[in-house]
Amino acid sequence: MNVVHLPDAAATEAFGAKLATVLEPGDVIALSGDLGMGKTSIARGLLAALGLPGEAPSPSFAIVQPYAPPEVRLPVLHVDLYRIDDPAEIEELGLDDALYDSALLVEWPERAAGRWPEALALTLSAAPDGGRILTADLPASWKRRWPI
C-alpha cells in the first residue's frame, strides 16, 4: 500500500493531473471513498491535464461520461456507479469493450466488486487536518509507473 497526503482540493486535483501523465489505454482507475472525499476532484484534475477545456461534470446522473480526442489526448470514460443497484446493470454499459482503446475512471467501484482486478485502486478518507489521505493499491501494471 502506498499512502499520499492531500492537504486540500487543489492538491487532490493536482494528484489527478499527475495520474494523467502516466495514463494508458486499457487502464482502470477505481476511486473509492465516502461522499465528498475527492473522487470527482481527482477525475477533474486528470481530465483537465488530458486537455479537457472547462470543468468535467460529475457523471452521477449520466452514469458514464465519455471523453474522446480531440477533446482529450486519449479516450476516457468517467463512470459513477453510485446509482447502480444490480451488478448485472454494469454489463449494459459496455465498459469492458471500451478498454481496448480507452481508460476508465470508476467512482464507487465497490458496486462492481471484483470486476477489474488489475485496476489502480485509490481510496480516499478524511485526514485529521481536514485534507485527505489517499491509499493506493498498485496492480503489477502500475508498479513501474509509481510513484507519480
Side-chain angles (χ1 to χ4, degrees):
M1 293 282 179
N2 292 274
V3 177
V4 178
H5 180 257
L6 302 169
D8 53 32
T12 305
E13 284 197 26
F15 181 84
K18 287 182 193 174
L19 278 175
T21 66
V22 296
L23 190 68
E24 300 172 355
D27 282 342
V28 178
I29 299 176
L31 300 165
S32 298
D34 290 339
L35 287 170
M37 285 296 112
K39 298 179 296 294
T40 301
S41 293
I42 287 176
R44 285 182 175 143
L46 183 144
L47 290 162
L50 290 177
L52 183 69
E55 186 174 90
S58 172
S60 293
F61 294 102
I63 299 176
V64 178
Q65 181 67 47
Y67 299 95
E71 187 177 41
V72 290
R73 77 169 170 81
L74 68 95
V76 175
L77 296 180
H78 185 188
V79 182
D80 187 327
L81 299 179
Y82 185 75
R83 296 185 318 121
I84 297 291
D85 294 321
D86 180 353
E89 295 175 61
I90 296 167
E91 287 296 326
E92 299 169 21
L93 301 176
L95 301 177
D96 293 333
D97 291 339
L99 285 174
Y100 290 106
D101 66 355
S102 304
L104 298 182
L105 298 177
V106 182
E107 296 187 39
W108 302 98
E110 53 276 7
R111 305 265 182 180
R115 184 170 193 95
W116 298 288
E118 289 301 311
L120 171 62
L122 303 178
T123 303
L124 292 148
S125 58
D129 65 0
R132 301 293 181 255
I133 301 296
L134 181 142
T135 305
D137 186 6
L138 306 175
S141 64
W142 277 88
K143 290 190 191 246
R144 66 178 167 76
R145 297 182 263 173
W146 200 270
I148 56 170

